[in-house]
Amino acid sequence: MNDAADKTAALNPKELSDLRVLTLFTAVYCAGHRHPGREPLEGGRGEAVCPECRDLLAYALERRRRCPLDPKPTCKHCPVHCYRPGSRERVKEIMRYSGKRLILRGRIDLLWHYFF
């Protein structure tokens, strides 16, 4: 079993869903900003990201795994901000950019993540 599979094995279905959404949003952001060097994610669903975005996703996965709260609230409603300040701002930017584009493309199911 590879290292990425080991890290995601301990996550429950809600956590995996949150990480899939973040991966999708990051891939949309990365493609929209035409970042160079995008490659498909291992074990992904065709999402391609640049090395910088890949590092952000790995960081987000690790932070999600180490969250001390149960149940985990959405990040914007969380009393404990576990992301570094620069990473937190980057994730906010990714969510703002990608959320609007995916909703306009018909992904109405993502409204929940966008507003809550």
Side-chain angles (χ1 to χ4, degrees):
M1 189 181 278
N2 65 24
D3 194 35
D6 289 340
K7 289 180 181 178
T8 59
L11 300 175
N12 67 40
K14 170 73 171 108
E15 293 168 332
L16 287 172
S17 174
D18 289 347
L19 290 172
R20 277 190 217 107
V21 168
L22 181 59
T23 301
L24 174 63
F25 277 46
T26 303
V28 168
Y29 176 86
C30 194
H33 285 81
R34 303 188 196 294
H35 290 171
R38 289 186 301 128
E39 294 181 11
L41 292 168
E42 181 181 328
R45 299 178 181 189
E47 299 93 350
V49 295
C50 68
E52 187 178 328
C53 291
R54 186 180 306 267
D55 290 343
L56 180 68
L57 283 172
Y59 175 73
L61 172 65
E62 185 61 28
R63 300 312 314 170
R64 184 67 171 109
R65 277 188 53 240
R66 293 176 183 246
C67 180
L69 304 176
D70 187 32
K72 167 82 170 95
T74 58
C75 289
K76 67 182 173 183
H77 297 296
C78 189
V80 179
H81 296 297
C82 55
Y83 283 86
R84 297 180 296 242
S87 297
R88 185 164 180 234
E89 292 305 314
R90 180 103 188 272
V91 169
K92 281 180 170 180
E93 180 183 343
I94 288 170
M95 298 301 267
R96 267 192 304 269
Y97 177 89
S98 301
K100 293 173 188 174
R101 276 145 188 87
L102 287 168
I103 290 169
L104 290 174
R105 289 186 200 168
R107 291 294 308 267
I108 304 300
D109 60 312
L110 294 174
L111 281 173
W112 181 261
H113 284 276
Y114 188 71
F115 289 110
F116 303 102

